[in-house]
Amino acid sequence: MVSPHTVSRRALHPNGPTLSRLVWGAWRARDAAALAEPQGLVRMIETCLEHGITSFDHADIYGQYQVEALFGDALRLDPALKGRMEIVTKCDIALVSSARPGNRVKHYDTSAAHIRASVERSLAALGVERIDVLLLHRPDPLMDADEVARTLEILVAEGKIAHAGVSNHTVEQMRLLASRLPFPLVTNQIELSVLHTEPLESGILDHLQAERIAPMIWSPLGGGRLFASPPEGALGRTMAELCEKYSLAGPGPLAIAWLLRLPVRPVPVLGTTSLSRIGELAAADAVEMERQDWFALLEAARGRAVP
Amino acid sequence: MVSPHTVSRRALHPNGPTLSRLVWGAWRARDAAALAEPQGLVRMIETCLEHGITSFDHADIYGQYQVEALFGDALRLDPALKGRMEIVTKCDIALVSSARPGNRVKHYDTSAAHIRASVERSLAALGVERIDVLLLHRPDPLMDADEVARTLEILVAEGKIAHAGVSNHTVEQMRLLASRLPFPLVTNQIELSVLHTEPLESGILDHLQAERIAPMIWSPLGGGRLFASPPEGALGRTMAELCEKYSLAGPGPLAIAWLLRLPVRPVPVLGTTSLSRIGELAAADAVEMERQDWFALLEAARGRAVP
Amino acid sequence: MVSPHTVSRRALHPNGPTLSRLVWGAWRARDAAALAEPQGLVRMIETCLEHGITSFDHADIYGQYQVEALFGDALRLDPALKGRMEIVTKCDIALVSSARPGNRVKHYDTSAAHIRASVERSLAALGVERIDVLLLHRPDPLMDADEVARTLEILVAEGKIAHAGVSNHTVEQMRLLASRLPFPLVTNQIELSVLHTEPLESGILDHLQAERIAPMIWSPLGGGRLFASPPEGALGRTMAELCEKYSLAGPGPLAIAWLLRLPVRPVPVLGTTSLSRIGELAAADAVEMERQDWFALLEAARGRAVP
């Protein structure tokens, strides 16, 4: 048996942190019986590390505010794991949840008090000293950019976070926050996949490349649709041909290889809860997809050629 | 009886003029019998001033080009009023109107000759020495930014206008004009309300906050719809609850309090022609709306939670 | 008989090349029997030059990759023509075509190798020493801006192209490429006409004016629709009135005069293959359309007044 592919690494920004080229996302960890126990999660973490996937994506709200603590429990079972990984987490969404009885309506909160409290809770739940990258999860229409920038600066100075970024932000939202910060935003975690190509036209990828910021990508497999029901018709045929050409296990790894071809050098977040999928997906990092294959997949997914 | 709330004041820009936090808009002055006579208008102005509303919003075209002169007649009845107020007016829309027999089609005109002539006419009609803020009313596709910038510079140098701004302009339209001006645009008067939330996503509020420019807001009550027919259903219920919580007289003041919560510090223009509404609306300035209430109102108005 | 109108000239950018105010586009040259032979094309070129139209627009792909060579054959019949003209051409679209058997899917290619090869082929086909302006034909989602900028720089240093520009690019796409280049992009060739007015609102014209870049315009006559079937209704009536007022031969020249009125000083590309149309269209350059007429035509074309 061949040794598993070890994914490469890359800096999110010239002055930013280096992550593994693929990131494991803990979003649905509690939804999978195998991962809902710390020992099961340790196995997932070890499987990721074996493939060079050393970066883990969280948010305070995942699993109704419970996933970070579950992940922390896994790290407490094997404390050596902590030194071998980078942690990304997020704040600012406030859910209506039994875990937050004060929340009457889903909202966003970028107040200094909320960001600070959220970071403190994430550090405690995860059991780590520092978050490698803290993201604002959603653009908050009530964001006071001066207040947020000051808060992020203090958290960096205190060593509680190493870097700051955003998620789901537009170009002008990034420009606003960047205008107040003494350091760069190191990423913008956005939705992008062969099934969701709107960011190719919205300007955000152009802006990120201009600023030399690598995006993290959520739902890189179209929310799992590419696994749940393999595409039919032209898309299915094109995917089957390309999987064979590139020796990939299926539409999932192919969709990842498609993303990795983008010059903005995206970092996809893998939401799979299956140990066996990790190796299949990691293999995508070894593929250098040919330009025409990239466009063939785009054309098949959209149902029309480029103009 | 308690003394009326006096609204606060704010600078539109660090280098801009200070206006009252709420502005009275003269748009519909001639439509109301009580205001169509100078003496009635004096009473409205005095009522505003009693509540600290010292800033008045005009445009050359309001009331088929007649409102500025009506307002000027009011000031001529009581010349002391002039020293207690700030005047905003606008130019560049050209209406098909018996007052402008040369106009064959509705159009915009940002030529030097038109801007200058419009300012001269506004000064004469209002009977003031200087306009505090002159706005370009609509983005003109034929705008030559060099010509406009030069014209605004000269008008400032001559003391005919103190500051310049725009209305209904996009981010790139603001960037274009700003690229030619030696001083900042001090505001962009845009439509925004709990019934018209598109600017929360268009990028304009992000740009304004980035540039530390406060927008003025037209139709802050959704074109009066919030007065004409109080909302029903979820929006009606949420508004009723929040009016009670914040001791506000109805949906109108609540909609103003909602706007005032935005970090870009908007300055709503009140179009009411009713003396008694002024106090009710001024009360909104005393409210510090809780974050969750702001989002509850947004959710009720849109009929969906934030993503 | 009066001598034909000679069109004026203009710089695309303060540091850019000077073109004739109208450009002849070779797009459909091979579709017209009269032009499909070099001698016929020489007559078209001479007709253009007689009217001061000295700039010629190409792309590698026009006429299934054959038009540049046809144009080159015309120049070889009369080599003196070369010294009297400016050549614009484009690269980066890859068609499925018998002339490019390696192309399996329509795609874009901004790799250094493709741009260089395309330029070399264009120079050979046209039989010229240098391309005056090379455009990226379509925004390539796989564009590595560093690679493209380096390639354009080298081509300029080698004297193979004099200037670089883009076509069909958005504001953020222009900002990205400009951020890497040591010289300005001198144009963006976009679609714009009285029948396609979306760029008036998209921000691109604002950005171009801000950067003092003149756009070239493709389909300035709505893809020829204004010739094929003269508009009826309000648009037809307005056009008829204005043609008479400005002594223009029909909707085509009027649509050109409408474009030339824009302050961004666009350079329309004429796709006509009819010798007799050239003079009619050139006459548009002599028209200074009145502001109200410009808006009347916009209103008639859109079926609504400006807001």
Side-chain angles (χ1 to χ4, degrees):
Chain A
M1 183 190 166
V2 297
S3 67
H5 178 73
T6 300
V7 306
S8 55
R9 301 181 66 72
R10 59 150 306 160
L12 290 178
H13 181 275
N15 301 320
T18 294
L19 300 191
S20 51
R21 193 63 205 276
L22 300 175
V23 168
W24 188 69
W27 178 32
R28 295 181 297 188
R30 281 181 74 235
D31 301 349
L35 305 185
E37 295 299 320
Q39 191 53 58
L41 196 47
V42 166
R43 277 192 296 275
M44 174 56 86
I45 293 169
E46 286 173 343
T47 301
C48 288
L49 294 175
E50 282 165 21
H51 290 85
I53 297 174
T54 65
S55 304
F56 294 85
D57 181 69
H58 287 271
D60 58 339
I61 59 167
Y62 287 167
Q64 290 289 314
Y65 295 98
Q66 307 300 325
V67 162
E68 286 181 324
L70 172 63
F71 197 88
D73 289 342
L75 298 185
R76 282 178 276 273
L77 283 186
D78 184 355
L81 292 174
K82 277 197 277 188
R84 302 168 59 197
M85 65 174 52
E86 303 83 36
I87 299 279
V88 178
T89 194
K90 317 185 191 76
C91 65
D92 101 4
I93 298 181
L95 299 178
V96 177
S97 163
S98 58
R100 294 290 183 278
N103 291 356
R104 293 174 281 115
V105 60
K106 185 174 181 185
H107 65 284
Y108 306 140
D109 193 343
T110 50
S111 67
H114 179 81
I115 292 175
R116 169 165 288 279
S118 187
V119 167
E120 305 276 12
R121 282 190 299 256
S122 292
L123 289 170
L126 292 161
V128 297
E129 312 266 293
R130 196 175 71 159
I131 291 161
D132 292 284
V133 190
L134 177 73
L135 308 183
L136 299 184
H137 205 153
R138 287 273 179 190
D140 171 17
L142 298 186
M143 180 180 80
D144 179 319
D146 290 301
E147 180 176 348
V148 170
R150 209 158 42 230
T151 305
L152 295 174
E153 270 194 79
I154 295 171
L155 289 169
V156 167
E158 293 175 348
K160 290 180 175 165
I161 68 172
H163 300 278
V166 294
S167 184
N168 302 303
H169 277 50
T170 64
V171 174
E172 297 304 338
Q173 288 162 348
M174 292 193 74
R175 286 193 174 121
L176 166 56
L177 186 52
S179 76
R180 302 301 201 266
L181 281 171
F183 42 73
L185 295 167
V186 298
T187 193
N188 185 6
Q189 187 173 127
I190 60 173
E191 183 183 6
L192 179 63
S193 73
V194 71
L195 299 179
H196 180 80
T197 60
E198 180 265 353
L200 298 183
E201 275 100 36
S202 74
I204 190 64
L205 293 181
D206 306 303
H207 178 67
L208 290 167
Q209 188 179 166
E211 298 291 324
R212 303 191 190 281
I213 297 170
M216 298 177 72
I217 305 297
W218 61 268
S219 277
L221 308 181
R225 277 177 292 161
L226 289 175
F227 278 139
S229 54
E232 299 181 350
L235 181 56
R237 281 194 303 277
T238 301
M239 287 193 136
E241 285 168 23
L242 294 177
C243 285
E244 183 166 337
K245 173 171 180 176
Y246 293 110
S247 303
L248 291 170
L254 187 69
I256 298 297
W258 185 86
L259 283 172
L260 294 180
R261 183 67 176 76
L262 286 167
V264 73
R265 298 188 297 165
V267 175
V269 178
L270 310 177
T272 185
T273 54
S274 154
L275 294 184
S276 64
R277 297 277 195 209
I278 295 293
E280 292 176 19
L281 293 164
D285 182 47
V287 169
E288 187 73 30
M289 188 178 284
E290 286 179 30
R291 179 177 285 270
Q292 291 201 57
D293 293 331
W294 191 91
F295 278 91
L297 202 43
L298 179 70
E299 177 176 317
R302 286 180 167 171
R304 62 174 192 282
V306 292
Chain B
M1 183 189 164
V2 295
S3 69
H5 178 73
T6 300
V7 306
S8 55
R9 301 180 67 71
R10 61 148 306 160
L12 289 179
H13 180 276
N15 301 321
T18 294
L19 301 190
S20 51
R21 193 63 205 275
L22 301 175
V23 167
W24 187 69
W27 178 32
R28 295 182 297 189
R30 282 181 73 234
D31 301 349
L35 305 185
E37 295 299 319
Q39 190 54 56
L41 196 47
V42 166
R43 277 192 296 276
M44 172 56 84
I45 293 168
E46 286 172 342
T47 301
C48 287
L49 294 175
E50 283 165 21
H51 290 85
I53 297 173
T54 64
S55 303
F56 295 85
D57 181 70
H58 288 270
D60 57 340
I61 59 168
Y62 287 167
Q64 290 288 314
Y65 295 97
Q66 306 301 325
V67 163
E68 286 180 325
L70 171 64
F71 197 88
D73 289 341
L75 298 185
R76 283 178 274 273
L77 282 185
D78 183 355
L81 291 175
K82 277 197 278 187
R84 301 168 60 197
M85 64 174 54
E86 302 83 36
I87 299 280
V88 179
T89 194
K90 315 185 191 77
C91 65
D92 99 6
I93 298 181
L95 299 178
V96 177
S97 163
S98 58
R100 294 290 183 277
N103 291 355
R104 294 173 280 116
V105 59
K106 185 175 180 184
H107 65 283
Y108 306 140
D109 194 343
T110 52
S111 66
H114 179 82
I115 293 174
R116 168 165 290 277
S118 187
V119 167
E120 305 277 10
R121 282 190 299 255
S122 291
L123 289 169
L126 291 160
V128 298
E129 313 267 292
R130 196 175 71 159
I131 291 160
D132 293 282
V133 189
L134 176 73
L135 308 183
L136 298 184
H137 206 154
R138 288 272 179 190
D140 172 16
L142 298 186
M143 180 180 80
D144 179 319
D146 290 301
E147 180 175 349
V148 170
R150 210 158 41 230
T151 305
L152 295 174
E153 270 195 78
I154 295 171
L155 289 168
V156 167
E158 293 174 347
K160 290 181 174 165
I161 68 172
H163 300 278
V166 293
S167 184
N168 303 302
H169 277 48
T170 64
V171 174
E172 298 304 339
Q173 288 162 348
M174 291 192 74
R175 286 193 174 120
L176 166 56
L177 186 51
S179 76
R180 302 300 201 268
L181 281 171
F183 43 73
L185 295 167
V186 299
T187 193
N188 185 6
Q189 186 172 128
I190 60 174
E191 182 182 8
L192 178 64
S193 74
V194 72
L195 298 180
H196 180 79
T197 60
E198 180 267 351
L200 298 183
E201 276 100 34
S202 74
I204 190 64
L205 293 180
D206 306 303
H207 177 69
L208 291 167
Q209 188 180 164
E211 298 290 324
R212 303 190 189 282
I213 298 169
M216 298 177 72
I217 306 297
W218 61 269
S219 277
L221 308 182
R225 278 177 293 160
L226 290 175
F227 278 139
S229 55
E232 298 182 350
L235 181 56
R237 282 194 303 278
T238 302
M239 287 193 135
E241 285 169 25
L242 295 177
C243 285
E244 184 165 337
K245 174 172 178 175
Y246 293 110
S247 303
L248 291 169
L254 187 69
I256 298 296
W258 185 87
L259 283 172
L260 295 180
R261 183 66 177 77
L262 286 167
V264 73
R265 299 187 298 166
V267 174
V269 178
L270 309 177
T272 184
T273 54
S274 153
L275 294 185
S276 64
R277 297 278 196 207
I278 295 293
E280 292 176 19
L281 293 165
D285 182 48
V287 168
E288 186 73 28
M289 189 178 286
E290 287 178 29
R291 180 177 286 269
Q292 291 201 58
D293 293 332
W294 191 91
F295 278 91
L297 201 45
L298 180 69
E299 177 176 318
R302 286 179 167 172
R304 62 175 193 279
V306 291
Chain C
M1 185 189 166
V2 296
S3 66
H5 178 73
T6 299
V7 305
S8 55
R9 301 181 64 73
R10 58 149 308 158
L12 290 178
H13 181 275
N15 301 321
T18 294
L19 301 190
S20 52
R21 193 63 205 276
L22 301 175
V23 168
W24 187 69
W27 178 33
R28 295 183 297 190
R30 282 181 74 235
D31 302 350
L35 305 185
E37 296 298 321
Q39 190 53 57
L41 196 47
V42 166
R43 276 192 296 276
M44 173 57 85
I45 293 168
E46 286 173 343
T47 303
C48 287
L49 294 174
E50 282 166 20
H51 290 84
I53 297 174
T54 64
S55 303
F56 294 85
D57 182 69
H58 287 271
D60 57 340
I61 60 168
Y62 287 166
Q64 291 289 313
Y65 295 98
Q66 307 301 325
V67 162
E68 286 180 325
L70 171 64
F71 197 88
D73 288 342
L75 298 186
R76 281 179 276 272
L77 282 186
D78 184 356
L81 291 174
K82 277 198 276 186
R84 301 168 60 195
M85 63 173 54
E86 303 83 35
I87 298 280
V88 178
T89 194
K90 316 187 192 76
C91 65
D92 101 5
I93 298 182
L95 300 178
V96 177
S97 162
S98 57
R100 293 289 183 278
N103 291 356
R104 293 173 282 117
V105 59
K106 185 174 182 186
H107 64 284
Y108 306 140
D109 193 343
T110 51
S111 66
H114 179 82
I115 292 175
R116 170 166 288 278
S118 187
V119 167
E120 304 278 11
R121 282 190 299 256
S122 291
L123 289 170
L126 291 160
V128 298
E129 313 267 295
R130 196 174 72 159
I131 292 160
D132 292 284
V133 190
L134 176 72
L135 308 184
L136 298 184
H137 205 153
R138 286 273 179 189
D140 172 16
L142 298 185
M143 180 181 80
D144 179 318
D146 291 300
E147 181 176 346
V148 170
R150 209 160 39 232
T151 305
L152 295 174
E153 269 194 78
I154 294 172
L155 289 168
V156 167
E158 293 175 347
K160 290 182 174 164
I161 68 173
H163 300 277
V166 293
S167 183
N168 303 301
H169 277 50
T170 65
V171 175
E172 298 303 339
Q173 287 162 349
M174 291 193 73
R175 287 193 173 120
L176 166 56
L177 186 51
S179 76
R180 302 300 201 267
L181 282 171
F183 43 73
L185 294 166
V186 299
T187 193
N188 185 6
Q189 186 173 126
I190 61 173
E191 184 183 6
L192 178 64
S193 74
V194 71
L195 298 180
H196 179 80
T197 60
E198 180 267 352
L200 298 182
E201 275 99 35
S202 74
I204 190 65
L205 293 181
D206 306 304
H207 178 68
L208 290 166
Q209 188 179 164
E211 298 291 324
R212 302 191 190 280
I213 297 170
M216 298 176 73
I217 306 298
W218 60 268
S219 276
L221 308 182
R225 278 177 292 161
L226 289 175
F227 278 140
S229 55
E232 298 182 351
L235 181 56
R237 281 193 303 278
T238 302
M239 287 193 136
E241 285 168 25
L242 294 177
C243 284
E244 183 165 339
K245 175 171 178 176
Y246 293 110
S247 304
L248 291 170
L254 187 68
I256 298 296
W258 185 86
L259 283 172
L260 295 179
R261 183 66 177 76
L262 286 167
V264 74
R265 297 188 298 166
V267 175
V269 178
L270 310 177
T272 184
T273 54
S274 154
L275 293 185
S276 63
R277 296 280 196 206
I278 295 293
E280 291 175 21
L281 293 165
D285 182 48
V287 169
E288 187 73 30
M289 189 178 284
E290 286 179 30
R291 179 177 287 270
Q292 290 201 58
D293 292 331
W294 191 92
F295 278 91
L297 201 44
L298 179 70
E299 178 176 316
R302 287 180 166 170
R304 61 175 194 281
V306 291

